[in-house]
Amino acid sequence: SSFSRTWMPDAVLLFRYSALTFNGHRIHYDRRYVTEEEGYPGLVVHGPLLATLLLDLVREARPQRRVQRFAFRAPRPLFDGVAFTACGEPEGDDGIRLWTRDADGAMTMTATATLETYR
């Protein structure tokens, strides 16, 4: 069965994630820069943050299983102040298909997780 969780990214979350990961790119924390210089509508949510939240979704849905492989692709940015949903769906015994979608339903990240096989 599928599972999901909705998030509302804000400037504090993005600033903290930037600090934790030593990411100094201003698109994640400097609103004036990102809107006036880069032309984005808001602060850009980090791709690795989205990947981390998808992995956390797997952990919540399958707490007894360990992730063996994980891959992600982010074809479209997400911005602060706009809710997004992280979703997952099992594929077979050991696979999980994951994605994020913005408030309009557009796919912003796709990912796959392969869980360790029971032995």
Side-chain angles (χ1 to χ4, degrees):
S1 65
S2 62
F3 42 91
S4 65
R5 182 171 180 193
T6 300
W7 291 85
M8 175 63 81
D10 61 19
V12 173
L13 173 66
L14 300 183
F15 179 80
R16 287 178 175 168
Y17 193 80
S18 289
L20 285 171
T21 60
F22 298 98
N23 184 333
H25 201 309
R26 293 167 63 184
I27 63 172
H28 303 299
Y29 64 85
D30 186 337
R31 187 169 311 281
R32 179 177 289 161
Y33 171 80
V34 77
T35 57
E36 293 177 11
E37 298 294 322
E38 298 286 341
Y40 287 118
L43 298 173
V44 179
V45 178
H46 310 70
L49 172 58
L50 296 174
T52 301
L53 295 174
L54 286 173
L55 280 168
D56 195 51
L57 190 66
V58 172
R59 184 191 56 77
E60 288 176 1
R62 302 290 186 270
Q64 73 285 5
R65 305 285 301 271
R66 290 179 28 178
V67 174
Q68 184 175 33
R69 279 191 301 270
F70 181 76
F72 67 93
R73 183 176 169 273
R76 181 181 179 131
L78 277 169
F79 303 99
D80 74 315
V82 179
F84 70 91
T85 304
C87 306
E89 180 175 80
E91 285 191 327
D93 292 335
D94 300 325
I96 298 180
R97 185 173 71 92
L98 300 149
W99 65 95
T100 59
R101 62 175 183 244
D102 65 18
D104 295 327
M107 190 86 61
T108 58
M109 178 173 278
T110 59
T112 57
T114 303
L115 305 176
E116 221 172 38
T117 303
Y118 283 126
R119 297 196 191 271

